[in-house]
Amino acid sequence: MNPGATAPAPPDSREALLARAQQLAGHTLAEVARQLGWRVPADTRREKGWIGQLLEAALGATAGGAAEPDFPHLGVELKTLPVDARGRPRESTWVCTVPLRAGSLDWHDSWVRRKLRCVLWFPIESGADLRLAERRLGMPLLWQPSAEEEALLRRDWEELMDMICRGGLEQITARHGEALQIRPKGADSRALTDTVSGDGEAVRTLPRGFYLRSSFTRAIIERHYLVPKETM
DNA sequence: AGCTGATCATAT
DNA sequence: ATATGATCAGCT
């Protein structure tokens, strides 16, 4: 991509990955981009995935496109987490596509569970008032769901998938689900995909995705980085 | 102000 | 069209 760029090799352990990520904490996006020989866009309006891709490159993730974790040999998924000045997530987090055509109803087979088995959360200052180049990386966190967290995710997933299997897809809105929600995920509202209606006919519908609510990711962050009561 | 539904880029 | 990476923008 750039002649002078230095793209690191993949880390050989989760510990090495976390250590490398921790070295990036506190740095601005401009600093990270310059090390890689990347230029920083003016904003993310038309390059929404730029920050995630920058960090993938900086951490030595397997480059683009594959339907597997960012670090396949480590089983680790990288997720950037836009946070406000208080360190609270500003957005929900994309997990994976909702299977609308087939698929097991067993949580243990689900893409959601597989995707979230081990996540490297990387908080980053965000907000329209912050120039992209000057945004700073926060302290990364290598997370695996606790029994309670997994039970919550499983409950939402089973409820939502049950509605879909009973032909209730069109009744599902982003208001369903305590931690995990379903929202449209496509190029735009005209993009369609195949599914099966409640009557069993083949029909077209919006592609959907699973997202983690920001309340859920906020709880993860706050559980691991305790902050003084008066700021909460 | 937070949330839901819509949208943007790139690679395969 | 589907996968990857997410954020935008209007409504409540």
Side-chain angles (χ1 to χ4, degrees):
Chain A
M1 169 171 281
N2 183 301
T6 54
D12 56 14
S13 68
R14 288 184 178 181
E15 292 71 26
L17 170 61
L18 182 58
R20 183 180 293 176
Q22 286 169 338
Q23 289 175 347
L24 295 175
H27 288 282
T28 64
L29 294 184
E31 290 167 347
V32 177
R34 191 159 49 81
Q35 283 193 332
L36 294 169
W38 288 29
R39 44 177 306 283
V40 183
D43 57 69
T44 54
R45 283 179 52 164
R46 303 195 68 81
E47 300 187 58
K48 296 181 180 178
W50 186 83
I51 298 174
Q53 286 153 6
L54 177 75
L55 288 179
E56 285 177 7
L59 293 171
T62 307
E68 45 181 6
D70 297 300
F71 302 92
H73 54 301
L74 305 179
V76 175
E77 188 73 24
L78 172 67
K79 291 289 184 195
T80 59
L81 194 58
V83 296
D84 64 18
R86 290 170 150 183
R88 294 174 177 176
R90 300 177 55 94
E91 294 282 356
S92 54
T93 299
W94 155 254
V95 181
C96 62
T97 301
V98 177
L100 294 178
R101 184 74 185 106
S104 162
L105 275 185
D106 186 342
W107 163 250
H108 291 92
D109 300 333
S110 73
W111 299 355
V112 172
R113 177 170 172 273
R114 284 203 279 257
K115 283 278 192 178
L116 299 179
R117 288 202 74 146
C118 187
V119 177
L120 180 65
W121 295 105
F122 220 138
I124 171 155
E125 288 181 318
S126 181
D129 53 326
L130 290 174
R131 302 230 323 266
L132 194 53
E134 284 150 20
R135 296 186 191 179
R136 283 184 191 281
L137 297 169
M139 190 58 72
L141 169 67
L142 198 52
W143 169 82
Q144 293 182 264
S146 66
E148 292 77 15
E149 287 164 340
E150 179 163 347
L152 176 55
L153 294 170
R154 175 177 183 161
R155 181 151 49 87
D156 286 342
W157 184 89
E158 288 176 344
E159 194 171 304
L160 291 163
M161 291 305 293
D162 185 61
M163 284 184 72
I164 292 172
C165 283
R166 300 166 63 120
L169 174 64
E170 303 305 334
Q171 277 66 58
I172 294 179
T173 74
R175 293 167 182 81
H176 292 87
E178 184 178 336
L180 192 68
Q181 63 180 171
I182 286 179
R183 304 218 305 276
K185 166 66 171 179
D188 52 50
S189 59
R190 276 93 61 193
L192 295 174
T193 190
D194 295 317
T195 187
V196 183
S197 75
D199 308 327
E201 334 171 42
V203 292
R204 309 275 283 162
T205 190
L206 291 176
R208 311 301 215 283
F210 284 114
Y211 294 79
L212 296 176
R213 292 186 182 276
S214 53
S215 56
F216 183 76
T217 51
R218 173 181 164 185
I220 293 172
I221 295 299
E222 292 184 347
R223 191 163 302 133
H224 292 271
Y225 300 115
L226 299 179
V227 296
K229 273 234 158 62
E230 56 271 20
T231 67
M232 300 182 67

